[in-house]
Amino acid sequence: MNITPTFTALALSIAATLFPSSSIAFDNGSQTLPCDYTFNQQSGTDTCLILGSGMNQGILWVVFEVQNQRFRYYGDSETIELLNDDYEAIATYPVTNSFGQCTPGGPDADVYDFANGDRVCLYWD
């Protein structure tokens, strides 16, 4: 059985609803994923490194690298953090996170749209 991140999130959401006083946490560890990006009006396709993703106290999170930049996003946030090599935030940017097509006719992606027009699309499945 292939358990996708979408299934995991749904299962944890149900568990949090049924057992609201429980504290659930997990880390999926590192993995690589195909991704598309646009930075400074330059677009490309790459393999992104997911340094960690999971849930802590009901909040989904992900840390990923694209084009030698490391980002951290929390599922309840409207911002994304740019991290240094020690995982310390060195900048924070407004971002909108959604799930849908990143390119016309392409597969669904985990889409991070930055307020400045930059974009990262992670293909989990």
Side-chain angles (χ1 to χ4, degrees):
M1 180 171 152
N2 184 14
I3 298 177
T4 66
T6 304
F7 175 81
T8 303
L10 177 62
L12 289 171
S13 175
I14 292 169
T17 302
L18 295 175
F19 309 105
S21 63
S22 299
S23 178
I24 299 172
F26 68 91
D27 181 353
N28 290 318
S30 26
Q31 58 185 309
T32 57
L33 298 177
C35 62
D36 292 322
Y37 64 89
T38 301
F39 289 126
N40 300 317
Q41 299 179 352
Q42 295 184 0
S43 298
T45 298
D46 202 352
T47 299
C48 290
L49 176 61
I50 307 302
L51 296 160
S53 65
M55 180 179 280
N56 189 4
Q57 297 182 353
I59 299 172
L60 293 170
W61 60 272
V62 62
V63 176
F64 60 90
E65 280 186 11
V66 57
Q67 290 294 292
N68 297 318
Q69 296 183 75
R70 183 175 294 169
F71 296 97
R72 177 173 45 221
Y73 177 76
Y74 294 102
D76 66 341
S77 177
E78 295 180 359
T79 60
I80 196 166
E81 298 172 326
L82 178 64
L83 306 175
N84 64 17
D85 290 340
D86 294 324
Y87 294 88
E88 297 167 336
I90 54 175
T92 302
Y93 305 107
V95 71
T96 302
N97 178 238
S98 62
F99 188 78
Q101 289 184 336
C102 198
T103 57
D108 285 339
D110 188 10
V111 182
Y112 298 86
D113 285 309
F114 293 68
N116 67 356
D118 289 351
R119 175 184 249 196
V120 175
C121 301
L122 303 174
Y123 299 99
W124 291 93
D125 294 320

